[in-house]
C-alpha cells in the first residue's frame, strides 16, 4: 500500500513539474488593451472583483473585463497583439481571455502588419455592434482570435470585419457578419460552419428570449442563415469605422519589456511660430539717412 501511494505521489509530482515547465516555456502574460479613443459614457467592469470605472482616453485594461458603451457612445480598443476593436453604441463586449507571449522590440500600431508574438484572444459580444481589424496571426504557432455571440462564434484569420447582434422586444434577433478583407469562419449558426470571404456577409435570423434581469440571451428556435454580398450601406459603415481605427492606431505604441508595459506615445510638440518679418530698410545710399 505504501509503495502504491509513493508511486502515485511521484507521478503527480512529475505531472505538476511538466505543467510548470510548459507554462514557463510559453511564458504567456495578460496582454494589454488601450482605450485609444473614447466617446460618451463607456464603462469597464472587472469580472474578478466586480469593480467598475468609466474609461477615458489612454486608459488600459486587460482580460477579465466587460466593456459597455452607452447611447451615443463608443470606444476604440487597441490590443497589444496588433488587433483593434471599434465598439459602437449600446454594446457589451466581454474580454474573456487575452494572453500573449512577451516580445523583444517596440511595437507600433501605425506600421504593424502582423502580431509581434503568439497570442490567444477570446471575446464575447453579448449585444451591439463592432468593427474589428486583426493583423496577421501566427496561427501555425497557435495564435487564435475568436468573437463569440449568442448566435455563433466568429474565428478571425487576420482581417477587417463587422459583427452586429441586436435582439429586440419582439423575440427576434438581428445578426450579421460582414468580411471587408480576409476571411472569417462562423461556427454554431449552421452545421459545419460557414466561411465568410472578402466582400461577403452572413445574415442570421433567429428567435430569442432575453432575461430582463441579467440580459442573458437564449435561442428558442434554430437560426436561418443567408449569405449575400455586403450591401453598400454596410460597406460605408465599415469604411468609416476602419478610418477611425486607422487614426487611433497612429498614436499607440507597445513597449518591448512585456505586453503589460504598454504606453501610448505623448502627443507631438506644437510647431514653433514662424519668425517675425524683418523691418524693411527704406534708406537709399547717399541720402544722409
Amino acid at each position: 500500500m505504501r509503495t502504491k501511494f509513493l508511486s502515485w505521489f511521484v507521478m503527480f509530482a512529475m505531472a505538476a513539474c511538466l505543467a510548470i515547465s510548459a507554462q514557463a516555456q510559453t511564458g504567456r502574460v495578460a496582454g494589454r488593451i488601450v482605450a485609444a479613443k473614447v466617446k460618451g459614457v463607456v464603462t469597464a467592469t472587472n469580472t474578478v472583483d466586480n469593480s467598475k470605472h468609466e474609461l477615458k482616453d489612454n486608459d488600459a485594461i486587460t482580460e477579465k473585463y466587460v466593456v459597455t458603451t452607452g447611447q451615443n457612445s463608443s470606444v476604440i480598443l487597441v490590443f497589444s497583439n496588433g488587433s483593434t476593436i471599434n465598439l459602437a453604441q449600446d454594446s457589451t463586449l466581454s474580454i474573456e481571455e487575452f494572453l500573449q507571449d512577451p516580445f523583444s522590440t517596440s511595437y507600433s500600431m501605425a506600421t504593424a502588419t502582423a502580431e509581434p508574438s503568439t497570442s490567444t484572444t477570446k471575446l464575447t459580444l453579448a449585444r451591439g455592434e463592432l468593427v474589428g481589424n486583426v493583423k496577421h496571426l501566427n496561427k501555425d504557432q497557435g495564435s487564435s482570435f475568436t468573437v463569440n455571440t449568442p448566435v455563433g462564434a466568429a474565428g478571425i484569420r487576420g482581417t477587417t470585419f463587422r459583427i452586429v447582434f441586436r435582439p429586440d422586444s419582439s423575440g427576434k434577433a438581428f445578426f450579421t457578419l460582414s468580411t471587408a478583407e480576409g476571411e472569417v469562419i462562423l461556427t454554431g449558426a449552421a452545421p459545419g460552419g460557414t466561411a465568410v470571404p472578402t466582400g461577403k456577409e452572413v445574415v442570421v435570423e433567429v428567435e430569442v428570449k432575453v432575461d430582463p434581469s441579467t440580459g442573458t440571451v437564449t435561442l428558442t428556435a434554430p437560426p436561418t442563415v443567408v449569405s449575400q454580398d455586403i450591401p453598400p450601406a454596410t460597406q460605408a459603415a465599415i469604411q468609416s469605422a476602419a478610418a477611425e481605427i486607422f487614426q487611433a492606431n497612429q498614436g499607440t505604441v507597445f513597449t518591448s519589456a512585456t505586453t503589460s508595459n504598454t504606453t501610448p506615445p505623448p502627443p507631438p510638440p506644437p510647431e514653433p511660430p514662424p519668425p517675425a518679418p524683418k523691418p524693411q530698410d527704406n534708406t537709399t545710399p547717399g541720402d544722409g539717412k
Side-chain angles (χ1 to χ4, degrees):
M1 185 69 179
R2 180 182 179 86
T3 303
K4 186 175 181 180
F5 173 80
L6 289 175
S7 299
W8 279 106
F9 178 82
V10 172
M11 291 176 64
F12 178 82
M14 291 178 62
C17 290
L18 288 174
I20 295 173
S21 176
Q23 185 177 11
Q25 288 176 3
T26 59
R28 287 194 172 184
V29 295
R32 192 172 177 87
I33 305 164
V34 174
K37 185 177 182 181
V38 180
K39 294 180 181 178
V41 179
V42 181
T43 58
T45 303
N46 188 321
T47 59
V48 177
D49 59 12
N50 291 321
S51 61
K52 181 185 297 186
H53 69 279
E54 202 170 306
L55 284 179
K56 303 298 181 183
D57 285 352
N58 296 330
D59 281 355
I61 57 176
T62 60
E63 61 177 10
K64 310 304 180 185
Y65 270 88
V66 177
V67 179
T68 304
T69 59
Q71 293 291 334
N72 302 316
S73 304
S74 63
V75 61
I76 296 179
L77 300 173
V78 184
F79 292 65
S80 55
N81 66 347
S83 304
T84 310
I85 296 293
N86 192 335
L87 189 64
Q89 67 171 346
D90 190 25
S91 300
T92 299
L93 181 71
S94 299
I95 304 163
E96 309 285 352
E97 182 179 8
F98 179 42
L99 297 175
Q100 184 179 16
D101 289 341
F103 47 90
S104 59
T105 58
S106 294
Y107 184 71
S108 172
M109 292 293 296
T111 57
T113 59
E115 64 174 343
S117 63
T118 305
S119 64
T120 301
T121 308
K122 295 179 182 178
L123 312 178
T124 296
L125 181 67
R127 75 173 193 278
E129 173 187 339
L130 62 81
V131 171
N133 177 265
V134 177
K135 306 303 181 185
H136 178 75
L137 298 173
N138 301 320
K139 292 185 68 66
D140 57 338
Q141 300 177 29
S143 289
S144 63
F145 194 108
T146 306
V147 181
N148 294 298
T149 73
V151 172
I156 314 302
R157 298 187 173 183
T159 184
T160 300
F161 62 97
R162 177 179 186 247
I163 298 176
V164 178
F165 176 72
R166 294 198 181 278
D168 60 26
S169 58
S170 68
K172 300 287 186 181
F174 176 76
F175 175 91
T176 60
L177 168 59
S178 313
T179 304
E181 181 183 3
E183 185 179 55
V184 178
I185 305 298
L186 178 64
T187 57
T194 303
V196 188
T198 299
K200 293 295 183 179
E201 175 180 87
V202 167
V203 181
V204 180
E205 182 178 337
V206 64
E207 295 182 7
V208 299
K209 181 180 180 181
V210 181
D211 188 314
S213 59
T214 64
T216 302
V217 178
T218 304
L219 273 62
T220 59
T224 301
V225 182
V226 177
S227 297
Q228 63 183 26
D229 292 337
I230 300 178
T234 301
Q235 290 179 342
I238 295 174
Q239 290 174 357
S240 177
E244 290 186 338
I245 288 174
F246 176 81
Q247 291 297 327
N249 283 344
Q250 301 310 298
T252 307
V253 174
F254 295 95
T255 58
S256 58
T258 67
T259 53
S260 61
N261 287 339
T262 306
T263 53
E271 296 184 1
K278 294 181 180 181
Q280 295 183 351
D281 186 359
N282 295 324
T283 61
T284 57
D287 62 2
K289 296 182 182 179

